[in-house]
Amino acid sequence: MNYNFDELIDRSKTNARKWSKDILIKEFQTTDILPMWIADMDFACPPPVIEAMQAVVDQRIYGYTYVPDTYYQAITDWNLRRHQWTIEKDWITLTHGTVSTLHYIVQAFCQPGDKVIVQTPGYQPFQRAVERHRCELVTNPLMLENGRYTLDLNDLEAKAKDPAVKLMIFCNPHNPTGRVWTAEELLEVGRICLENDVLIVSDEIHKDLCLYGHQPTSFASLSHSIADHCLICVSPNKAFNFGGLKSSYTVIPNADLRARLQKQLATHSITSPNVFAVPALIAAYTRCDDWLDQLTAYIEKNIDLVRNFINTSLPNVTLIHPEATYLAWLDFRAVGLSHHQLQKLLIHEGRLALESGNDFIADGEGFARMNLGCPRAIVEEALQRLSQCLSKI
């Protein structure tokens, strides 16, 4: 079956944060703007997911539910089939969203004053998960070399030696840069963390959206010793576009670590799942491989369009070519504007809502993130607006 990713769906009256006029006023001070910012897609969910949720609607009663064995089987089969990663049912714990899970992890494994390492530029909720629980954020800046980000392992090793460092929250694949970390890179990170007793918390929610033949590697698949030191955060929400269901899970091979997190979740009554989330995940992981393959091919063409347009028409802008995700990290530093000037130009002249680089944890000055998880006509319109506003400099 061929899926129509060119369909334009009006989300402006659906309380979608990305398109809501109230939210756009709050974030960008205008509604006359094309939303290319927050990381959800403008594509309809796969038909099997919609059918599975419609079946729940048709039951007409939405009481408390539980997690059936088919949920665990769908997760283990999917990760083996798509990622060659063998996991056991007992390793899986249902959670209610990856961001909230990071808060529970910090609560479970850190005390106030402890330190947590993150790579930068980094996803802002990582910082909030650390600092709201009175811990200290330690940044490990990525290195941008020849248009590609790499890990600064020397800096990471030096900072991991601090005995106050208890966790590292690692994004794999990385948001916003789009890097798919290699097994060799991850092994070095794992070695550093093991030698310094730093627990690895790996956010792997973008791994189903690897592009151009890149293959993700889960930290927990590298070795038994590294797996024993990992908490892996996973979710179908990004790839299948149902972030509002808060359908996520952790994979934790170490029984003691798993019990500590489960105790923290129970403290906050994170038990019974969303009545729609479980059937949506099962449908996505058992019946939607072809849809996801077509989606990633469509996103690749969107990225190719942006790259070619920038190369031919926007000489002062650089696309950091993504190896995963539908998010384009754009380098505007050669344009020669301050952060404030760039934002003003994009919003008021380009009428474009991009995610400012300064909305990320450090090292985003002069950058912006563009969401390409949308029909091609929207991408084409965004590029024209971008060209027109930059031509006014």
Side-chain angles (χ1 to χ4, degrees), residues 97-119:
T98 301
V99 170
S100 61
T101 301
L102 294 176
H103 285 258
Y104 301 134
I105 288 172
V106 173
Q107 291 171 13
F109 296 98
C110 294
Q111 297 296 321
D114 286 344
K115 297 179 180 180
V116 180
I117 295 175
V118 300
Q119 283 67 39

Side-chain angles (χ1 to χ4, degrees), residues 66-85:
Y66 68 100
V67 183
D69 285 342
T70 49
Y71 173 88
Y72 298 103
Q73 192 66 51
I75 290 173
T76 57
D77 288 351
W78 175 264
N79 281 282
L80 180 60
R81 184 172 72 252
R82 300 290 296 198
H83 305 301
Q84 297 74 55
W85 180 27

Side-chain angles (χ1 to χ4, degrees), residues 166-198:
K166 304 300 182 183
L167 297 178
M168 180 188 64
I169 301 178
F170 192 85
C171 200
N172 174 36
H174 189 262
N175 172 27
T177 70
R179 264 305 313 275
V180 175
W181 306 112
T182 66
E184 291 74 21
E185 289 172 312
L186 297 179
L187 280 167
E188 278 300 293
V189 173
R191 175 190 62 79
I192 291 168
C193 289
L194 261 64
E195 289 177 357
N196 294 282
D197 197 25
V198 175

Side-chain angles (χ1 to χ4, degrees), residues 84-105:
Q84 297 74 55
W85 180 27
T86 300
I87 61 179
E88 297 179 14
K89 173 187 174 181
D90 290 345
W91 299 357
I92 302 166
T93 298
L94 177 140
T95 55
H96 291 184
T98 301
V99 170
S100 61
T101 301
L102 294 176
H103 285 258
Y104 301 134
I105 288 172

